[in-house]
Amino acid sequence: MQQQPQSQQKPHLLRGLNARHIRFIALGSAIGTGLFYGSAAAIQAAGPAVLLAYLIGGAAVFIVMRALGEMAVRNPVSGSFGSYARQYLGPLAGFITGWTYTFEMVIVALADVTAFGIYMGLWYPDVPRWIWVMSIICFIAAMNLCHVRFFGEMEFWLSLIKVVAIIAMMIAGAGIIFFGFGHAFPATGLENLWSHGGFAPNGWQGVVASLGIVMFAFGGVEIIGVTAAEAQNPKKVIPQAINTIPLRIVLFYVCTLAVLMAIFPWNSFGQQGSPFVLIFSGLGIPSAANVLNLIVISASISAINSDIFGAGRMMYGMAKEGMAPKSFQRIASNGVPWMTVVVMGAALMAAVVLNYLMPEQIFVLIASLAAFATVWVWIMILLAHFSMRRGLSAQARQTIEFPVPLWPVAPLLTLLFMGVVIAVMGMFEETRIALIAGLVWLALLTVVWYARVKKNVTVAVTE
């Protein structure tokens, strides 16, 4: 009787996420602020041709996730791709990858909490945005201190709300397109997709310019790999979740945005709120706009929840390998690494300051920073996967349980595409500062590695 409390005090993550949880965590990670709010900026850049950017970017993301899935099924660990980078590319690569993913989650969460404040402004325009930002950070931090099964349940229901809402919106939108909406709104047809300057009104340059925002929209989907250490049956549920990614991208991004741009001209979208809410407000249905605002609020809460979870588990995994402070290994009796949750909550308080100082410019800047961190992490996943494959014997390659399709052509093309996305960020003034900041971040991590961390990792590995 006296041994149980003692064993519970040891750092130990619990396998409390079942197939239903992980499937909807995967859904939730692919449907967030990038779709509900960031899509407006992508549409402005490319017009209807943004659909091509989502298709091409989505195909690249699928290959990255198949590479991650192959490694996660083979070795499900709490550090996920951070640990894989260390194992297959070396300790420095693992350190940079793990902390860049944590940086990515912080930046994405900054965008999500900012979007939450913008959504609340529809109902309470006189309340300063930073107040809403602070309140949601405190709420989500408290939620993440609960048992991992509670996190899984919350993500299930929050993701279910936005999935049902998007499907309902597409059905209603299709009705407006082909049959009209009462006497006041005749059927729009599909002409809006090419009748306002053409399908690609800004040419291929516009499509290329939208890639940063498009890749930001997919950022966070790699959390599927992070959940492997707490999944009840990772060899089964991880492949199931990853294999649904192409359908999710086509359904929730391409089809959804096609419906939106068919109803209203692409150049009528702005950044004064979610395109979903603005469309239904434009149709003269204020109650529907309020309902949709509630839905996008739940979507942002879901995304922030996942961001804190993913970064916390990554920091915990790095702490076990000597790449983060030892205090990050502290786990509560319910199996939650509570110190990492507290650290993430404190880091997100930067969003309160930013929303107070520069509420108008913050979203595009944050989205660009997140896109750089996201793409960098994906590049490291692909490189780690290449290294892992190279180290396997021919016989071992034949027994891979979840192999990447079209190896090695598809991963090589995906690596080339990721390099193009990073180069594109330097071509446009509004994203160039994010590229510079990202490169400075990588340089700082390298300096910190050689100055402070390298000797601790050597000791940790030796022990």
Side-chain angles (χ1 to χ4, degrees), residues 88-422:
Y88 301 118
L89 300 175
L92 174 59
F95 176 74
I96 291 177
T97 302
W99 277 109
T100 301
Y101 173 73
T102 302
F103 175 72
E104 173 199 344
M105 288 295 95
V106 171
I107 297 299
V108 171
L110 288 177
D112 291 328
V113 297
T114 298
F116 175 84
I118 292 170
Y119 299 152
M120 293 301 294
L122 179 71
W123 293 331
Y124 304 99
D126 296 329
V127 177
R129 189 188 302 170
W130 66 266
I131 292 178
W132 296 118
V133 172
M134 179 177 288
S135 64
I136 195 61
I137 290 172
C138 295
F139 174 74
I140 296 295
M143 225 166 60
N144 267 265
L145 292 173
C146 299
H147 192 283
V148 68
R149 187 169 297 165
F150 177 78
F151 164 81
E153 286 296 324
M154 286 297 297
E155 277 301 291
F156 170 77
W157 290 107
L158 288 170
S159 296
L160 184 63
I161 289 172
K162 54 189 177 184
V163 167
V164 171
I166 290 175
I167 292 174
M169 190 282 301
M170 283 193 291
I171 294 173
I176 294 172
I177 291 169
F178 297 109
F179 306 108
F181 183 77
H183 298 291
F185 299 97
T188 61
L190 300 175
E191 287 80 6
N192 278 331
L193 293 177
W194 58 78
S195 60
H196 297 273
F199 180 71
N202 298 324
W204 282 105
Q205 184 179 4
V207 176
V208 171
S210 71
L211 286 176
I213 299 296
V214 168
M215 300 315 285
F216 160 72
F218 296 136
V221 70
E222 64 275 7
I223 195 175
I224 299 173
V226 179
T227 63
E230 292 169 89
Q232 293 174 355
N233 188 359
K235 292 183 182 296
K236 178 181 179 182
V237 300
I238 298 299
Q240 287 178 345
I242 290 174
N243 282 337
T244 61
I245 288 176
L247 176 62
R248 296 203 309 268
I249 288 170
V250 171
L251 181 64
F252 296 116
Y253 280 90
V254 178
C255 292
T256 301
L257 294 181
V259 167
L260 293 179
M261 289 185 289
I263 294 176
F264 280 105
W266 68 270
N267 50 13
S268 65
F269 291 94
Q271 295 188 48
Q272 290 75 41
S274 167
F276 292 77
V277 174
L278 293 177
I279 276 184
F280 282 86
S281 296
L283 288 175
I285 319 173
S287 59
N290 286 327
V291 171
L292 278 168
N293 202 47
L294 183 63
I295 290 166
V296 295
I297 284 172
S298 70
S300 64
I301 293 173
S302 167
I304 301 163
N305 201 26
S306 294
D307 298 339
I308 292 180
F309 174 88
R313 269 44 176 190
M314 180 61 70
M315 286 189 286
Y316 169 79
M318 287 192 298
K320 291 180 66 178
E321 296 173 353
M323 296 185 179
K326 291 183 178 180
S327 60
F328 288 1
Q329 295 186 55
R330 295 177 183 173
I331 291 185
S333 59
N334 61 358
V336 173
W338 63 270
M339 180 59 78
T340 61
V341 174
V342 172
V343 170
M344 275 295 291
L348 289 183
M349 286 299 172
V352 178
V353 178
L354 289 173
N355 275 277
Y356 177 76
L357 296 176
M358 48 183 297
E360 302 304 323
Q361 300 86 10
I362 183 175
F363 187 83
V364 172
L365 174 62
I366 285 177
S368 301
L369 273 170
F372 174 85
T374 298
V375 172
W376 179 264
V377 167
W378 290 343
I379 289 174
M380 298 307 286
I381 289 173
L382 290 168
L383 292 177
H385 179 257
F386 270 109
S387 181
M388 182 203 75
R389 278 288 192 108
R390 193 172 62 246
L392 295 177
S393 65
Q395 184 178 2
R397 292 178 187 175
Q398 295 297 322
T399 60
I400 293 174
E401 298 180 66
F402 190 51
V404 172
L406 301 176
W407 166 269
V409 176
L412 284 172
L413 289 176
T414 303
L415 264 177
L416 178 63
F417 174 76
M418 296 300 173
V420 169
V421 172
I422 288 183

Side-chain angles (χ1 to χ4, degrees), residues 424-442:
V424 164
M425 294 181 67
M427 293 169 53
F428 298 95
E429 185 177 354
E430 59 269 23
T431 56
R432 192 173 300 133
I433 187 173
L435 175 61
I436 295 171
L439 294 175
V440 169
W441 166 260
L442 296 180

